[in-house]
Amino acid sequence: MYKLVIILYVVILVLYMLFTRQPDYFDGEMTVGTIHMQTDSITHRQTLFASFDLGKSNYHVNAAYFLRNLREGEKVAVIYDTTMPQRAAIYAWWGYWLQWDEIAGSIIIAVVLWGIAVLLTNNPTEESRLEQLKEPDDKPQRKYS
């Protein structure tokens, strides 16, 4: 039973990751960006940005992410949508495909649902226990005795 639940969880998580990424993996274009340290206009702190050029336009993407170590001047792969290149993302396993908040949230949801299922089926009433132990009236007959 546990194997089935774990396999089902992994399949659902992989399908979710495959079809919910923005920019979309299937429609997005890839390019190379360079990591630069810049002052963020909102927080006024020094943060890492990936800079990439498309034609005559230069775009910047926030490259700071939990447990991602990038250095100034490092080359990274950038995936972007051709209709909205300003909403690009760093293409990497950690941060594009695997995101800590989605992983943590899905594990919490799976554990809570598993706990609810165990609580509902753990202590059956005497009536339901007797009903389960009772032999059905329409028990199939064996072909050969």
Side-chain angles (χ1 to χ4, degrees):
M1 181 70 164
Y2 291 112
K3 290 179 188 177
L4 178 65
V5 170
I6 291 171
I7 290 170
L8 185 64
Y9 168 76
V10 170
V11 166
I12 290 172
L13 185 64
V14 167
L15 289 174
Y16 173 79
M17 288 188 308
L18 190 61
F19 294 108
T20 60
R21 296 295 158 235
Q22 291 297 325
D24 189 41
Y25 173 72
F26 298 109
D27 296 333
E29 298 289 327
M30 300 284 261
T31 189
V32 176
T34 306
I35 300 296
H36 294 293
M37 187 71 80
Q38 291 180 344
T39 304
D40 191 3
S41 62
I42 297 172
T43 61
H44 302 292
R45 290 184 175 169
Q46 288 282 85
T47 55
L48 293 173
F49 283 89
S51 175
F52 64 99
D53 295 322
L54 293 177
K56 296 179 182 180
S57 300
N58 188 356
Y59 296 98
H60 302 286
V61 173
N62 190 355
Y65 192 72
F66 178 66
L67 295 178
R68 182 190 289 166
N69 297 321
L70 298 172
R71 295 177 304 280
E72 178 79 26
E74 186 176 343
K75 301 286 186 191
V76 292
V78 176
I79 186 167
Y80 65 93
D81 189 1
T82 54
T83 59
M84 296 184 69
Q86 63 271 18
R87 297 185 75 191
I90 305 294
Y91 183 74
W93 277 103
W94 185 249
Y96 182 74
W97 289 112
L98 299 175
Q99 297 178 1
W100 72 270
D101 53 346
E102 291 177 353
I103 301 284
S106 68
I107 289 173
I108 290 169
I109 289 171
V111 167
V112 166
L113 291 177
W114 182 265
I116 290 171
V118 168
L119 284 174
L120 290 176
T121 60
N122 198 20
N123 295 321
T125 62
E126 283 299 320
E127 294 171 357
S128 66
R129 191 175 294 159
L130 290 174
E131 185 179 320
Q132 291 173 1
L133 292 176
K134 187 176 87 172
E135 300 246 349
D137 294 337
D138 57 343
K139 182 178 176 184
Q141 297 294 323
R142 296 182 61 170
K143 189 170 185 178
Y144 302 105
S145 345

